[in-house]
Amino acid sequence: MILQKLSRIAFVLVLATASSSLVAQETFTIRLAETWGPNSPILGETPRNMAAMAEKMSGGRLKFRIDSSNKHKAPFGIFDLVKGGQYDMGHTASYYYKGSIPNAMYFTTVPFGMIAQEQYAWFYHGGGMELMEKVYRPHGLLSFPGGNTGNQMGGWFRDEIESVDDLDGLKMRTPGFAGEVMSELGVAVTNIPPGELYSALEKGTIDALEWVGPALDFNMGFHQIAKYYYSGWQEPGAEVQFLINKKTWDKLPAELQEILRVSMRTAAYDMYTQSTHESGVAWDRMKEDYPDVTHKTFPPEVIEALREATNKLLAEEAEKDELAREIINSQRDYLKQVRQWTNISDKAYLNSISGE
Ligand code: CA
């Protein structure tokens, strides 16, 4: 009887403790700035997907306020906004910040580098995450993979590229490291904001441009002006990123950190599959609706010249900076190993059944 009574009291106590700890649980509102404009397909859907998952998994303890570039006015300033604490998080691409933090560039994509699945393997199993932390920690930031576009197209060209000479004097929009490689071959490289690309191509301010791939290119209308659509070499698997201010991260209890980490990782994977899906749909439609759009690959001579210029620039970067050297070597060594597997699996499979 006494025991029964005691256990009932204990039960009531447990209940009381549980409910009071529920009441005491803190909620956090995370302010996130994205590079993308409002309603940006795929890219802009990714941080919202992440936020929705994290809110639900945390039972509302994590909340998000997401600002697009029209609000914060700094599409290529996300790094500074999160570093300075104006925002807790960002969704952007590491290579936009090569001016202020050159070693960030390697975590998006590298010309002639890894394709998406190889790069994810490098991030999670080949030391990529640790190197990324090494680059971002001194800035009080954490960076996480934020979604992959898959293999990007080489771009839209008004005229065919038949030799290296055809690149000389060509006016082209192509950002990042690829732009520097193109410059080596005489291309007049510009980086024009996405919203002005169509008119720049139409007016002849540029002769060619690269954006992403069918999923995101189709809506931009470039195919109405430039008919040659080249496969790429410059962004074999572009990974965008989530940035987090370390102070915000440290304020979160361990379980919310884990919810955020899982939400980011899942949203990144979702973006990769969505990109694959939507590029398939868009390319199918483009071929149907615009039969004069011609798919091309660059001639071997052009690819070789681009590869040589890439290697030369990478060697220069590795020479200049110790951490750059560590990242470049890590990616090169990892690629060398993992590509042997890709070659006898996916590549061999696709080659052996080619024609479909
Ligand atoms: Ca691109």
Side-chain angles (χ1 to χ4, degrees):
M1 184 71 184
I2 292 169
L3 258 180
Q4 247 184 356
K5 205 167 190 179
L6 272 178
S7 70
R8 199 172 302 144
I9 291 167
F11 179 67
V12 170
L13 272 175
V14 167
L15 265 184
T17 317
S19 65
S20 70
S21 73
L22 270 180
V23 170
Q25 278 183 337
E26 209 180 334
T27 63
F28 298 85
T29 300
I30 310 272
R31 299 152 304 155
L32 185 151
E34 60 176 352
T35 283
W36 335 114
N39 307 312
S40 173
I42 306 178
L43 294 164
E45 288 173 69
T46 300
R48 286 160 185 83
N49 183 24
M50 181 280 298
M53 280 188 276
E55 281 196 34
K56 206 164 181 182
M57 283 195 273
S58 66
R61 289 171 65 206
L62 282 174
K63 295 191 186 307
F64 294 82
R65 204 195 72 204
I66 299 177
D67 286 348
S68 303
S69 59
N70 61 329
K71 187 82 188 276
H72 57 68
K73 312 281 184 209
F76 300 129
I78 308 296
F79 174 84
D80 288 324
L81 288 176
V82 182
K83 184 180 174 175
Q86 290 98 315
Y87 283 87
D88 303 294
M89 280 185 80
H91 192 245
T92 184
S94 210
Y95 67 178
Y96 292 142
Y97 308 101
K98 73 184 174 79
S100 46
I101 169 174
N103 287 335
M105 167 171 92
Y106 308 103
F107 300 104
T108 308
T109 184
V110 174
F112 298 100
M114 294 176 269
I115 56 173
Q117 70 201 48
E118 295 168 337
Q119 190 168 273
Y120 274 131
W122 175 72
F123 271 126
Y124 295 123
H125 302 280
M129 290 299 288
E130 291 79 3
L131 285 168
M132 188 151 69
E133 193 180 332
K134 237 177 169 173
V135 168
Y136 281 95
R137 192 173 278 270
H139 298 275
L141 295 167
L142 296 175
S143 171
F144 297 86
N148 204 289
T149 63
N151 207 319
Q152 293 205 5
M153 291 299 282
W156 296 92
F157 292 72
R158 281 174 174 272
D159 299 308
E160 247 183 290
I161 301 297
E162 286 168 314
S163 69
V164 177
D165 291 344
D166 290 342
L167 292 176
D168 196 21
L170 187 85
K171 290 172 287 177
M172 179 165 183
R173 180 268 182 194
T174 182
F177 192 58
E180 291 173 34
V181 174
M182 283 288 211
S183 299
E184 287 279 312
L185 299 182
V187 176
V189 173
T190 55
N191 191 9
I192 297 166
E196 295 160 34
L197 281 175
Y198 181 89
S199 67
L201 189 63
E202 195 182 31
K203 283 186 207 141
T205 314
I206 49 175
D207 309 307
L209 61 84
E210 73 88 46
W211 178 230
V212 181
L216 292 171
D217 291 3
F218 197 22
N219 292 339
M220 303 287 270
F222 307 135
H223 55 281
Q224 291 158 8
I225 311 165
K227 299 296 176 199
Y228 296 104
Y229 198 25
Y230 278 83
S231 284
W233 56 277
Q234 80 291 3
E235 298 191 57
E239 186 71 33
V240 292
Q241 72 177 158
F242 285 110
L243 274 179
I244 305 182
N245 187 298
K246 181 85 171 35
K247 284 186 194 138
T248 302
W249 179 260
D250 289 342
K251 269 185 225 153
L252 298 175
E255 73 274 17
L256 294 189
Q257 286 178 347
E258 197 55 23
I259 284 171
L260 195 51
R261 193 199 308 272
V262 169
S263 303
M264 289 188 291
R265 192 158 164 167
T266 310
Y269 183 70
D270 285 351
M271 183 177 133
Y272 180 36
T273 54
Q274 189 188 4
S275 297
T276 304
H277 168 69
E278 293 197 16
S279 273
V281 170
W283 178 237
D284 186 49
R285 224 178 91 204
M286 190 139 33
K287 283 202 307 181
E288 188 82 12
D289 296 351
Y290 299 88
D292 53 340
V293 166
T294 308
H295 168 250
K296 304 289 289 181
T297 52
F298 291 112
E301 177 208 347
V302 171
I303 290 292
E304 266 329 293
L306 290 166
R307 188 198 297 272
E308 262 176 43
T310 299
N311 288 341
K312 176 178 168 260
L313 290 178
L314 282 175
E316 283 172 16
E317 294 300 326
E319 190 66 33
K320 270 190 261 173
D321 182 83
E322 198 184 322
L323 186 50
R325 183 158 61 246
E326 200 182 334
I327 301 164
I328 290 166
N329 288 348
S330 167
Q331 291 190 325
R332 187 200 53 212
D333 295 347
Y334 194 79
L335 175 60
K336 204 172 163 196
Q337 184 191 58
V338 76
R339 185 58 55 81
Q340 297 177 61
W341 162 238
T342 305
N343 283 343
I344 65 157
S345 56
D346 286 350
K347 192 177 174 189
Y349 167 72
L350 292 172
N351 285 342
S352 68
I353 61 154
S354 67
E356 293 304 311

